[in-house]
Short mmCIF file of all heavy atoms in Angstrom, two decimals:
data_model
loop_
_atom_site.label_atom_id
_atom_site.label_comp_id
_atom_site.label_asym_id
_atom_site.label_seq_id
_atom_site.Cartn_x
_atom_site.Cartn_y
_atom_site.Cartn_z
N ARG A 1 -7.11 13.79 8.38
CA ARG A 1 -6.38 12.47 8.52
C ARG A 1 -4.86 12.70 8.23
O ARG A 1 -4.01 12.11 8.89
CB ARG A 1 -6.95 11.42 7.64
CG ARG A 1 -8.29 10.89 8.17
CD ARG A 1 -8.74 9.67 7.38
NE ARG A 1 -9.15 10.01 5.98
CZ ARG A 1 -10.38 10.41 5.66
NH1 ARG A 1 -11.33 10.55 6.60
NH2 ARG A 1 -10.68 10.68 4.45
N GLY A 2 -4.57 13.52 7.24
CA GLY A 2 -3.23 13.82 6.92
C GLY A 2 -2.53 14.50 8.00
O GLY A 2 -1.30 14.23 8.33
N VAL A 3 -3.16 15.44 8.71
CA VAL A 3 -2.57 16.08 9.89
C VAL A 3 -2.27 15.11 10.98
O VAL A 3 -1.15 15.16 11.59
CB VAL A 3 -3.43 17.23 10.38
CG1 VAL A 3 -2.90 17.87 11.69
CG2 VAL A 3 -3.55 18.36 9.31
N GLU A 4 -3.24 14.27 11.25
CA GLU A 4 -3.03 13.25 12.27
C GLU A 4 -1.77 12.39 11.90
O GLU A 4 -0.94 12.14 12.83
CB GLU A 4 -4.18 12.36 12.48
CG GLU A 4 -4.07 11.33 13.53
CD GLU A 4 -5.22 10.32 13.65
OE1 GLU A 4 -5.97 10.19 12.64
OE2 GLU A 4 -5.42 9.76 14.68
N SER A 5 -1.65 11.96 10.72
CA SER A 5 -0.50 11.17 10.32
C SER A 5 0.76 11.92 10.47
O SER A 5 1.80 11.38 10.90
CB SER A 5 -0.71 10.75 8.88
OG SER A 5 0.43 10.02 8.37
N ALA A 6 0.78 13.27 10.08
CA ALA A 6 2.03 14.03 10.15
C ALA A 6 2.43 14.23 11.61
O ALA A 6 3.69 14.34 11.92
CB ALA A 6 1.78 15.41 9.50
N ILE A 7 1.52 14.37 12.52
CA ILE A 7 1.85 14.53 13.91
C ILE A 7 2.73 13.35 14.44
O ILE A 7 3.64 13.58 15.23
CB ILE A 7 0.60 14.72 14.80
CG1 ILE A 7 -0.06 16.03 14.56
CG2 ILE A 7 0.90 14.52 16.29
CD1 ILE A 7 -1.43 16.20 15.16
N ARG A 8 2.41 12.17 13.94
CA ARG A 8 3.22 11.00 14.38
C ARG A 8 4.65 11.05 13.85
O ARG A 8 5.51 10.33 14.35
CB ARG A 8 2.50 9.70 13.85
CG ARG A 8 1.20 9.40 14.52
CD ARG A 8 0.74 7.99 14.31
NE ARG A 8 0.40 7.67 12.95
CZ ARG A 8 -0.84 7.83 12.40
NH1 ARG A 8 -1.79 8.34 13.17
NH2 ARG A 8 -1.07 7.59 11.17
N GLN A 9 4.94 11.95 12.92
CA GLN A 9 6.29 12.10 12.41
C GLN A 9 7.03 13.23 13.10
O GLN A 9 8.18 13.53 12.67
CB GLN A 9 6.30 12.38 10.86
CG GLN A 9 5.74 11.10 10.15
CD GLN A 9 5.68 11.38 8.58
OE1 GLN A 9 5.31 12.39 8.17
NE2 GLN A 9 6.29 10.41 7.83
N ASN A 10 6.41 13.97 14.00
CA ASN A 10 6.98 15.06 14.60
C ASN A 10 6.90 14.95 16.19
O ASN A 10 5.85 15.05 16.75
CB ASN A 10 6.20 16.39 14.24
CG ASN A 10 6.50 16.75 12.77
OD1 ASN A 10 7.43 17.50 12.47
ND2 ASN A 10 5.67 16.21 11.87
N ASP A 11 8.08 14.66 16.81
CA ASP A 11 8.10 14.32 18.17
C ASP A 11 7.81 15.47 19.12
O ASP A 11 7.49 15.20 20.30
CB ASP A 11 9.49 13.76 18.49
CG ASP A 11 9.80 12.47 17.84
OD1 ASP A 11 8.88 11.71 17.47
OD2 ASP A 11 11.01 12.10 17.71
N ASP A 12 7.79 16.71 18.63
CA ASP A 12 7.45 17.85 19.50
C ASP A 12 5.99 18.23 19.43
O ASP A 12 5.63 19.23 19.94
CB ASP A 12 8.37 18.98 19.15
CG ASP A 12 8.19 19.53 17.73
OD1 ASP A 12 7.73 18.70 16.80
OD2 ASP A 12 8.46 20.69 17.40
N MET A 13 5.17 17.37 18.86
CA MET A 13 3.73 17.66 18.66
C MET A 13 2.98 16.46 19.26
O MET A 13 3.40 15.31 19.20
CB MET A 13 3.39 17.83 17.26
CG MET A 13 4.16 18.76 16.47
SD MET A 13 3.51 20.41 16.61
CE MET A 13 4.48 21.30 15.43
N GLU A 14 1.78 16.72 19.78
CA GLU A 14 0.82 15.63 20.21
C GLU A 14 -0.59 16.06 19.83
O GLU A 14 -0.98 17.19 20.01
CB GLU A 14 0.96 15.34 21.71
CG GLU A 14 0.57 16.46 22.65
CD GLU A 14 0.64 16.08 24.12
OE1 GLU A 14 0.30 14.87 24.37
OE2 GLU A 14 0.93 16.92 24.91
N LEU A 15 -1.26 15.09 19.33
CA LEU A 15 -2.72 15.29 19.02
C LEU A 15 -3.54 15.16 20.34
O LEU A 15 -3.47 14.09 20.96
CB LEU A 15 -3.18 14.31 17.91
CG LEU A 15 -4.67 14.40 17.61
CD1 LEU A 15 -5.02 15.84 17.02
CD2 LEU A 15 -4.99 13.38 16.53
N VAL A 16 -4.28 16.17 20.64
CA VAL A 16 -5.10 16.11 21.85
C VAL A 16 -6.57 15.79 21.57
O VAL A 16 -7.18 14.98 22.24
CB VAL A 16 -5.04 17.51 22.59
CG1 VAL A 16 -5.98 17.54 23.76
CG2 VAL A 16 -3.58 17.77 23.06
N ALA A 17 -7.11 16.40 20.47
CA ALA A 17 -8.52 16.19 20.19
C ALA A 17 -8.80 16.45 18.69
O ALA A 17 -8.19 17.33 18.05
CB ALA A 17 -9.42 17.04 21.08
N VAL A 18 -9.77 15.73 18.17
CA VAL A 18 -10.35 15.98 16.85
C VAL A 18 -11.74 16.48 17.04
O VAL A 18 -12.56 15.90 17.84
CB VAL A 18 -10.31 14.73 16.01
CG1 VAL A 18 -11.12 14.91 14.68
CG2 VAL A 18 -8.89 14.32 15.74
N PHE A 19 -12.10 17.54 16.37
CA PHE A 19 -13.47 18.10 16.45
C PHE A 19 -14.18 17.91 15.07
O PHE A 19 -13.63 18.15 14.02
CB PHE A 19 -13.39 19.61 16.84
CG PHE A 19 -12.79 19.80 18.15
CD1 PHE A 19 -11.42 19.98 18.31
CD2 PHE A 19 -13.57 19.85 19.26
CE1 PHE A 19 -10.86 20.13 19.62
CE2 PHE A 19 -13.03 20.05 20.55
CZ PHE A 19 -11.65 20.10 20.68
N THR A 20 -15.42 17.50 15.21
CA THR A 20 -16.16 17.20 14.00
C THR A 20 -17.63 17.71 14.06
O THR A 20 -18.14 17.83 15.16
CB THR A 20 -16.25 15.69 13.71
OG1 THR A 20 -16.99 15.38 12.55
CG2 THR A 20 -16.79 14.99 14.95
N ARG A 21 -18.18 18.07 12.88
CA ARG A 21 -19.61 18.44 12.86
C ARG A 21 -20.48 17.17 12.72
O ARG A 21 -21.72 17.33 12.79
CB ARG A 21 -19.85 19.43 11.67
CG ARG A 21 -19.16 20.78 11.87
CD ARG A 21 -19.36 21.68 10.74
NE ARG A 21 -18.62 21.21 9.54
CZ ARG A 21 -18.52 21.88 8.43
NH1 ARG A 21 -19.11 23.05 8.26
NH2 ARG A 21 -17.85 21.33 7.38
N ARG A 22 -19.83 16.01 12.48
CA ARG A 22 -20.65 14.80 12.44
C ARG A 22 -20.82 14.29 13.88
O ARG A 22 -20.32 14.89 14.89
CB ARG A 22 -19.86 13.75 11.63
CG ARG A 22 -19.76 14.06 10.12
CD ARG A 22 -18.87 12.94 9.47
NE ARG A 22 -17.51 13.22 9.55
CZ ARG A 22 -16.53 12.37 9.28
NH1 ARG A 22 -16.86 11.14 8.86
NH2 ARG A 22 -15.23 12.66 9.36
N ASN A 23 -21.57 13.23 14.03
CA ASN A 23 -21.67 12.54 15.28
C ASN A 23 -20.36 11.99 15.71
O ASN A 23 -19.74 11.10 14.98
CB ASN A 23 -22.70 11.44 15.23
CG ASN A 23 -22.97 10.81 16.58
OD1 ASN A 23 -22.13 10.82 17.51
ND2 ASN A 23 -24.14 10.16 16.74
N PRO A 24 -19.74 12.42 16.80
CA PRO A 24 -18.39 11.91 17.16
C PRO A 24 -18.28 10.40 17.25
O PRO A 24 -17.18 9.83 16.99
CB PRO A 24 -18.13 12.54 18.56
CG PRO A 24 -18.95 13.83 18.58
CD PRO A 24 -20.20 13.45 17.75
N LYS A 25 -19.38 9.75 17.56
CA LYS A 25 -19.41 8.29 17.61
C LYS A 25 -19.18 7.64 16.26
O LYS A 25 -18.79 6.43 16.20
CB LYS A 25 -20.72 7.78 18.21
CG LYS A 25 -20.92 8.20 19.66
CD LYS A 25 -22.24 7.70 20.17
CE LYS A 25 -22.47 8.07 21.68
NZ LYS A 25 -23.81 7.66 22.17
N ASP A 26 -19.38 8.43 15.19
CA ASP A 26 -19.24 7.93 13.80
C ASP A 26 -17.82 8.18 13.25
O ASP A 26 -17.56 7.81 12.12
CB ASP A 26 -20.28 8.49 12.92
CG ASP A 26 -21.70 8.12 13.28
OD1 ASP A 26 -21.88 7.00 13.90
OD2 ASP A 26 -22.60 8.89 12.97
N VAL A 27 -17.01 8.83 14.04
CA VAL A 27 -15.62 9.12 13.57
C VAL A 27 -14.58 8.38 14.35
O VAL A 27 -14.47 8.45 15.58
CB VAL A 27 -15.40 10.67 13.84
CG1 VAL A 27 -13.97 11.05 13.34
CG2 VAL A 27 -16.34 11.53 13.03
N SER A 28 -13.82 7.57 13.61
CA SER A 28 -12.79 6.82 14.16
C SER A 28 -11.43 7.31 13.75
O SER A 28 -11.10 7.49 12.59
CB SER A 28 -12.97 5.32 13.68
OG SER A 28 -11.86 4.51 14.15
N ILE A 29 -10.61 7.62 14.80
CA ILE A 29 -9.24 8.14 14.49
C ILE A 29 -8.12 7.13 14.86
O ILE A 29 -8.52 6.10 15.53
CB ILE A 29 -9.00 9.46 15.26
CG1 ILE A 29 -8.98 9.31 16.73
CG2 ILE A 29 -10.10 10.49 14.81
CD1 ILE A 29 -8.58 10.49 17.53
N SER A 30 -6.98 7.34 14.48
CA SER A 30 -5.85 6.43 14.73
C SER A 30 -5.15 6.59 16.03
O SER A 30 -4.47 5.75 16.48
CB SER A 30 -4.83 6.49 13.57
OG SER A 30 -5.45 6.19 12.35
N THR A 31 -5.32 7.81 16.65
CA THR A 31 -4.63 8.10 17.86
C THR A 31 -5.39 7.79 19.11
O THR A 31 -6.38 8.45 19.40
CB THR A 31 -4.22 9.64 17.87
OG1 THR A 31 -3.52 9.94 16.67
CG2 THR A 31 -3.30 9.92 19.06
N SER A 32 -5.02 6.73 19.78
CA SER A 32 -5.81 6.22 20.94
C SER A 32 -5.90 7.16 22.10
O SER A 32 -6.83 7.17 22.84
CB SER A 32 -5.25 4.89 21.42
OG SER A 32 -3.90 5.01 21.81
N THR A 33 -4.86 8.09 22.20
CA THR A 33 -4.80 8.96 23.40
C THR A 33 -5.62 10.28 23.13
O THR A 33 -5.73 11.06 23.98
CB THR A 33 -3.40 9.31 23.69
OG1 THR A 33 -2.69 9.83 22.47
CG2 THR A 33 -2.60 8.10 24.13
N ALA A 34 -6.13 10.48 21.95
CA ALA A 34 -6.80 11.73 21.60
C ALA A 34 -8.32 11.50 21.65
O ALA A 34 -8.81 10.48 21.38
CB ALA A 34 -6.40 12.19 20.20
N ALA A 35 -9.00 12.58 21.93
CA ALA A 35 -10.49 12.56 22.05
C ALA A 35 -11.08 12.95 20.68
O ALA A 35 -10.54 13.61 19.90
CB ALA A 35 -10.96 13.54 23.07
N VAL A 36 -12.28 12.44 20.45
CA VAL A 36 -13.09 12.89 19.30
C VAL A 36 -14.33 13.58 19.89
O VAL A 36 -15.10 13.01 20.67
CB VAL A 36 -13.55 11.71 18.42
CG1 VAL A 36 -14.38 12.27 17.26
CG2 VAL A 36 -12.35 10.95 17.93
N CYS A 37 -14.50 14.86 19.52
CA CYS A 37 -15.54 15.74 20.13
C CYS A 37 -16.38 16.41 19.11
O CYS A 37 -16.01 16.64 17.96
CB CYS A 37 -14.83 16.78 21.03
SG CYS A 37 -13.72 16.10 22.25
N SER A 38 -17.57 16.75 19.50
CA SER A 38 -18.41 17.66 18.72
C SER A 38 -17.83 19.00 18.56
O SER A 38 -17.18 19.58 19.48
CB SER A 38 -19.76 17.74 19.30
OG SER A 38 -20.53 18.74 18.68
N ALA A 39 -18.00 19.64 17.40
CA ALA A 39 -17.46 20.99 17.15
C ALA A 39 -18.09 21.99 18.17
O ALA A 39 -17.47 22.98 18.50
CB ALA A 39 -17.79 21.41 15.71
N GLN A 40 -19.23 21.66 18.62
CA GLN A 40 -19.91 22.57 19.63
C GLN A 40 -19.20 22.58 20.97
O GLN A 40 -19.45 23.44 21.76
CB GLN A 40 -21.34 22.12 19.81
CG GLN A 40 -22.21 22.30 18.50
CD GLN A 40 -23.60 21.80 18.61
OE1 GLN A 40 -23.88 21.01 19.49
NE2 GLN A 40 -24.51 22.27 17.74
N GLU A 41 -18.35 21.58 21.20
CA GLU A 41 -17.68 21.49 22.49
C GLU A 41 -16.33 22.24 22.52
O GLU A 41 -15.63 22.26 23.48
CB GLU A 41 -17.36 20.01 22.87
CG GLU A 41 -18.58 19.16 23.05
CD GLU A 41 -18.17 17.71 23.27
OE1 GLU A 41 -17.29 17.50 24.14
OE2 GLU A 41 -18.73 16.76 22.62
N MET A 42 -16.00 22.88 21.34
CA MET A 42 -14.68 23.41 21.18
C MET A 42 -14.26 24.37 22.28
O MET A 42 -13.12 24.38 22.78
CB MET A 42 -14.57 24.00 19.82
CG MET A 42 -13.12 24.02 19.25
SD MET A 42 -13.06 24.66 17.60
CE MET A 42 -14.04 23.44 16.72
N GLU A 43 -15.11 25.26 22.63
CA GLU A 43 -14.79 26.27 23.58
C GLU A 43 -14.34 25.65 24.90
O GLU A 43 -13.48 26.30 25.67
CB GLU A 43 -15.98 27.23 23.85
CG GLU A 43 -15.64 28.40 24.72
CD GLU A 43 -16.88 29.35 24.82
OE1 GLU A 43 -17.90 29.11 24.17
OE2 GLU A 43 -16.78 30.35 25.69
N ASN A 44 -14.84 24.49 25.25
CA ASN A 44 -14.42 23.82 26.51
C ASN A 44 -12.96 23.38 26.55
O ASN A 44 -12.39 23.04 27.58
CB ASN A 44 -15.34 22.63 26.80
CG ASN A 44 -16.80 23.00 26.88
OD1 ASN A 44 -17.16 24.13 27.24
ND2 ASN A 44 -17.68 22.05 26.57
N TRP A 45 -12.35 23.40 25.37
CA TRP A 45 -10.99 22.95 25.27
C TRP A 45 -9.95 24.07 25.12
O TRP A 45 -8.80 23.83 24.82
CB TRP A 45 -10.79 22.02 24.04
CG TRP A 45 -11.57 20.71 24.19
CD1 TRP A 45 -12.86 20.43 24.19
CD2 TRP A 45 -10.91 19.46 24.52
NE1 TRP A 45 -13.12 19.08 24.40
CE2 TRP A 45 -11.92 18.46 24.58
CE3 TRP A 45 -9.52 19.03 24.61
CZ2 TRP A 45 -11.62 17.09 24.86
CZ3 TRP A 45 -9.26 17.68 24.89
CH2 TRP A 45 -10.33 16.76 25.03
N LYS A 46 -10.37 25.28 25.34
CA LYS A 46 -9.48 26.46 25.05
C LYS A 46 -8.20 26.49 25.90
O LYS A 46 -7.23 27.10 25.48
CB LYS A 46 -10.22 27.76 25.15
CG LYS A 46 -10.82 28.06 26.61
CD LYS A 46 -11.61 29.38 26.53
CE LYS A 46 -12.17 29.65 27.94
NZ LYS A 46 -12.97 30.95 27.89
N ASP A 47 -8.23 25.83 27.06
CA ASP A 47 -7.02 25.81 27.85
C ASP A 47 -6.23 24.48 27.77
O ASP A 47 -5.26 24.31 28.39
CB ASP A 47 -7.36 26.05 29.29
CG ASP A 47 -7.97 27.42 29.52
OD1 ASP A 47 -7.51 28.39 28.89
OD2 ASP A 47 -8.95 27.54 30.35
#
C-alpha cells in the first residue's frame, strides 16, 4: 500500500497491476486504472 501511495507522488511512474496470493476479489486498491491479479498470473504480464 505504501508503494501504491508513493507512485502517486512520482509523475514518471504508473501502477499497472497488483499481484496477490489472496483471492484478488478480496483485495481493494486505490488506483482505479490498475488491475488486481493472482500471483499465478504474473508470467502473463512480463511484457
Side-chain angles (χ1 to χ4, degrees):
R1 286 189 291 271
V3 172
E4 181 185 23
S5 176
I7 289 171
R8 293 196 292 271
Q9 296 180 311
N10 289 270
D11 294 337
D12 60 337
M13 308 274 188
E14 63 176 328
L15 178 62
V16 173
V18 170
F19 297 88
T20 178
R21 290 176 295 185
R22 292 177 276 167
N23 184 339
K25 295 179 181 179
D26 297 333
V27 177
S28 176
I29 67 173
S30 301
T31 307
S32 60
T33 55
V36 180
C37 306
S38 167
Q40 296 176 339
E41 300 177 47
M42 206 175 299
E43 186 175 354
N44 300 333
W45 290 75
K46 62 182 179 181
D47 297 320

